[in-house]
Amino acid sequence: MAKDFATMEDSNRSSNPSIHDVSDPARRTVLRGGLGAAVGGLLAPLGVGTLAGCATAAGAQPLLGFKGVPVSTADAVTVPEGYVTQVVAAWGEPVGVAGAMPAFRFDAGHTAAEQALQIGMHHDGLHYVALDGSRRGLLVINHEYVDDGLLHPDGLATWGAEKVRKAQAAHGVSVIEVEWRDGRWRQVLPSRHARRITAFTPCAIAGPAAGHALMRTAADPAGTVVLGTLNNCASGKTPWGTVLTCEENFVFYFKGPEQPDAHERRWGLRPSTAPSFFRWHEFDERFDAGRRPNEPNRFGWVVEIDPLDPTSTPVKRTALGRAAHEGATVAVTKDARAVVYMGEDARFEYIYKFVSRDRIRPGGLGANRELLDHGTLHVARFDADGNGRWLPLVHGRRPLTAEQGFADQGEVLVKARQASDLLRATKMDRPEWIDVDRDGWVYCALTNNSQRGAAGQPAVDAANPRANNTTGHIIRWKEDGDFDAVTFQWNHFVLAGDPANERADAKGNVNGDAFACPDGLWVDARGVLWIQTDMSTSAMGRGDLARLGNNQMLAADPRTGEIRRFLVGPPGCEITGATATPDGRTMFVNVQHPGEAPSERSDPANPRRHSNWPDLRPDGRPRSATVVIRKADGGLIGT
């Protein structure tokens, strides 16, 4: 996710005791062996399986067969020798709705109505949904936020309803069709699957919080339909064929009330006198929390989308809890129940797990339409001895009672942060993407936390062992049994940073190419753990960190811990979102906000100062886009 939001994020989280009360920060936590949780139940339903031509014995040959690339400042995408790239799905290109395919204008002069038919801005989570195996499929692309300095011809020199509408149209999700034809990947135009979901697309509300008093508004007195999804960050894919898109830093879109109450403050709403980040409230009253106090409660959910049906209604699944959701990764128990792992990308927030009540049934979405509406949400506690426990967020179980401010299960889910505070879960260093490897390890990227150990904030603990944690780390755990277990054992996969750095907050233990600020994580079908980084441009100004770069993707062998740099993007970008065709021979990766510099975020006079990627033309402007990566010889990616 973009650092503009993270650095603004601040709330009264320090009141909940951190695990440092019972831990020894100097102790190196080591996981005990002997846990044999099989991951086959996860891979088979998701259609990953063993790739043709890939060794079935994971230890038979090295996972990483490419030569790592160096950090680069070139305005280009750099990959290892023997690999080729191409760009598809850049911001502003038509999604492919028949009879309505407005072209991108390089002066950004396309209208709000046109943007609603074009690929959105600032690509993030990404999934390939096969239509014809590895030759034709859908790309489902999240759009995290917008840069108004690039979105409008004159940036923020003026402001009005049309600009608000255009910004809302550039948010959400794009569904496009792509195919392998004539030796390259091409977008299918038009496509019957093409779709844009924006910040004004009607979404259903389902699960325990549907119809709750905290979800009702004057425009929606039933509390069952909300307009739009926004700040869509990472995503997940279900065994029944849907995609889960996650609403992250939604709070910054709202102007706060004159005096926020305790609930509003816990979620980061600031007094109305504070400047609004996006100014939508000036022309869309629902983003004025002073006038529409329940509207913020209707965001921060995991949203389920059926990419195969462009007429379907996206559904906000409230049983999975409300959070600044980074992602939603689905595992499957041996008895075929769905388990959804989720991180909340904010300082001192939590890691969650949802376990469905019912089993996944054959028949796709039609047979599992309400599967994610029934089950138990848990929050993680990481103990200092290397053990951990999943704490259920269930109304009526102490302390989640009416006496503590939770009238029912719907209120527990709307106020998941407060519930997790009371359960004394472990406050983490910005938990981001989560994925599961072939041996059943569950990995979570903790990107950084410069406030760890600061005055009035939680101190270091066993799971988050560095004060002023500027470079982040990756934590992993293995459940004590199946994925629905209530206990687990954990350790650190890697502390990011430079092993040669003398600063304690930036000295890592990386085995291979050094990096900082892990964000995106994805385990491919061969078992490679792909790591994507997101170091803020302000951190890049530090001499001891600048050579680590923020715009890269690395590959890790989970069994040896070796890490190699695979890709470097244009200056100022974030590499995010990774997916592949079932045969493992095509990878898709997103390049977000090339050329970003926070001080110039909305400056229309300098839209191309740091990057002109991907068009590299005098009248161009930097555009987020999806990059296709293949081996020149057609081999498996990463070998």
Side-chain angles (χ1 to χ4, degrees):
M1 67 146 271
K3 291 298 175 294
D4 286 310
F5 299 113
T7 52
M8 290 178 64
E9 207 283 333
D10 189 18
S11 64
N12 55 345
R13 285 184 280 272
S14 59
S15 58
N16 183 30
S18 176
I19 197 172
H20 73 277
D21 294 331
V22 295
S23 71
D24 176 3
R27 182 181 181 276
R28 179 178 175 83
T29 305
V30 180
L31 186 77
R32 298 193 301 271
L35 294 178
V39 75
L42 164 66
L43 296 179
L46 292 179
V48 178
T50 302
L51 297 171
C54 178
T56 56
Q61 59 185 18
L63 276 181
L64 311 183
F66 62 91
K67 182 180 179 181
V69 299
V71 171
S72 171
T73 58
D75 199 13
V77 172
T78 303
V79 291
E81 182 180 354
Y83 286 80
V84 294
T85 66
Q86 69 172 102
V87 174
V88 297
W91 157 53
E93 298 300 325
V95 291
V97 175
M101 292 189 286
F104 178 71
R105 302 181 191 177
F106 286 96
D107 66 352
H110 48 288
T111 66
E114 290 172 329
Q115 177 64 77
L117 296 166
Q118 297 169 321
I119 293 169
M121 203 174 204
H122 287 357
H123 302 26
D124 207 302
L126 174 69
H127 281 286
Y128 176 86
V129 178
L131 295 176
D132 181 14
S134 297
R135 299 189 63 84
R136 186 170 64 91
L138 304 179
L139 291 180
V140 184
I141 307 168
N142 281 355
H143 303 293
E144 186 180 5
Y145 69 107
V146 301
D147 185 330
D148 288 302
L150 297 176
L151 183 63
H152 315 292
D154 66 343
L156 287 174
T158 62
W159 193 239
E162 170 71 7
K163 286 188 173 181
V164 170
R165 192 73 170 175
K166 185 176 179 181
Q168 292 174 337
H171 279 72
V173 180
S174 295
V175 180
I176 67 168
E177 183 177 348
V178 293
E179 66 176 355
W180 175 255
R181 181 163 50 90
D182 300 330
R184 61 187 289 112
W185 282 91
R186 303 173 187 272
Q187 187 178 350
V188 177
L189 296 171
S191 168
R192 65 186 181 90
H193 297 289
R195 184 179 192 184
R196 276 304 322 281
I197 297 168
T198 70
F200 42 80
T201 299
C203 299
I205 302 171
H212 196 278
L214 289 170
M215 301 287 279
R216 301 172 193 159
T217 66
D220 176 31
T224 56
V225 178
V226 59
L227 289 182
T229 180
L230 52 84
N231 208 246
N232 301 81
C233 204
S235 55
K237 191 176 179 181
T238 71
W240 51 94
T242 60
V243 170
L244 305 177
T245 182
C246 300
E247 300 177 325
E248 193 189 19
N249 289 300
F250 62 91
V251 74
F252 299 118
Y253 293 78
F254 291 89
K255 177 186 178 182
E258 185 176 342
Q259 293 294 333
D261 62 23
H263 168 57
E264 292 167 328
R265 291 195 304 272
R266 182 62 183 86
W267 288 86
L269 273 175
R270 299 177 298 165
S272 58
T273 53
S276 176
F277 201 68
F278 282 101
R279 297 176 60 189
W280 288 5
H281 67 279
E282 296 175 21
F283 294 93
D284 189 342
E285 189 176 278
R286 64 193 174 113
F287 290 96
D288 186 338
R291 296 185 177 184
R292 299 289 182 263
N294 279 352
E295 194 68 33
N297 296 334
R298 293 149 64 85
F299 293 88
W301 303 101
V302 174
V303 186
E304 187 171 15
I305 296 171
D306 179 5
L308 297 177
D309 181 3
T311 68
S312 61
T313 301
V315 182
K316 300 197 177 189
R317 300 293 182 188
T318 65
L320 277 62
R322 179 167 169 259
H325 280 293
E326 177 72 26
T329 299
V330 183
V332 180
T333 64
K334 294 174 183 176
D335 66 353
R337 284 175 296 133
V339 175
V340 186
Y341 290 102
M342 299 164 284
E344 181 170 17
D345 181 12
R347 298 186 187 107
F348 305 116
E349 297 301 348
Y350 302 108
I351 295 173
Y352 294 96
K353 177 174 83 170
F354 171 84
V355 180
S356 71
R357 180 192 68 188
D358 303 322
R359 296 181 180 183
I360 302 169
R361 294 184 292 180
L365 175 60
N368 298 282
R369 199 170 297 276
E370 298 181 357
L371 185 79
L372 296 181
D373 292 336
H374 307 284
T376 303
L377 181 67
H378 305 76
V379 64
R381 187 187 75 205
F382 293 82
D383 294 330
D385 61 0
N387 293 295
R389 178 170 291 275
W390 292 105
L391 310 172
L393 279 74
V394 176
H395 179 257
R397 297 190 189 179
R398 291 187 178 277
L400 306 183
T401 61
E403 292 75 18
Q404 293 292 335
F406 301 97
D408 49 33
Q409 183 63 17
E411 188 158 5
V412 169
L413 296 168
V414 171
K415 299 179 177 179
R417 284 183 177 178
Q418 294 97 310
S420 299
D421 292 343
L422 287 175
L423 290 172
R424 300 174 66 87
T426 303
K427 293 177 171 293
M428 307 298 290
D429 285 352
R430 293 184 54 201
E432 304 230 24
W433 296 48
I434 297 176
D435 211 346
V436 185
D437 76 8
R438 298 168 65 94
D439 295 322
W441 285 100
V442 186
Y443 296 77
C444 180
L446 300 165
T447 200
N448 58 39
N449 185 354
S450 60
Q451 297 301 307
R452 175 69 65 176
Q457 300 289 355
V460 297
D461 57 47
N464 305 276
R466 292 189 287 190
N468 186 32
N469 181 13
T470 59
T471 54
H473 55 289
I474 298 175
I475 200 168
R476 65 178 182 175
W477 62 90
K478 188 175 281 191
E479 306 285 6
D480 288 333
D482 209 344
F483 289 114
D484 63 340
V486 296
T487 59
F488 58 88
Q489 299 177 50
W490 67 270
N491 68 9
H492 293 118
F493 178 66
V494 65
L495 299 180
D498 187 347
N501 198 319
E502 296 302 319
R503 289 177 56 108
D505 63 301
K507 183 179 179 65
N509 62 359
V510 181
N511 174 20
D513 292 329
F515 67 95
C517 303
D519 188 328
L521 291 181
W522 175 59
V523 178
D524 71 14
R526 292 198 307 118
V528 177
L529 173 64
W530 296 92
I531 303 168
Q532 299 168 320
T533 68
D534 181 18
M535 188 191 301
S536 69
T537 48
S538 58
M540 283 289 292
R542 262 181 56 180
D544 61 339
L545 296 181
R547 62 195 180 97
L548 297 179
N550 77 314
N551 49 355
Q552 61 187 279
M553 182 167 75
L554 308 99
D557 185 334
R559 296 193 174 182
T560 67
E562 181 188 2
I563 298 175
R564 295 186 194 176
R565 188 178 298 107
F566 178 81
L567 178 151
V568 179
C573 81
E574 173 188 347
I575 303 299
T576 181
T579 189
T581 52
D583 64 5
R585 300 176 190 277
T586 298
M587 176 185 282
F588 301 93
V589 173
N590 281 334
V591 174
Q592 187 187 101
H593 61 68
E596 182 183 67
S599 63
E600 298 159 12
R601 179 178 175 274
S602 297
D603 180 2
N606 296 296
R608 299 178 295 277
R609 176 174 293 182
H610 301 281
S611 175
N612 203 13
W613 187 90
D615 304 296
L616 303 179
R617 49 184 283 171
D619 62 341
R621 57 182 60 212
R623 296 199 281 167
S624 296
T626 302
V627 175
V628 180
I629 305 168
R630 288 179 59 86
K631 289 193 76 172
D633 63 5
L636 297 172
I637 301 294
T639 59

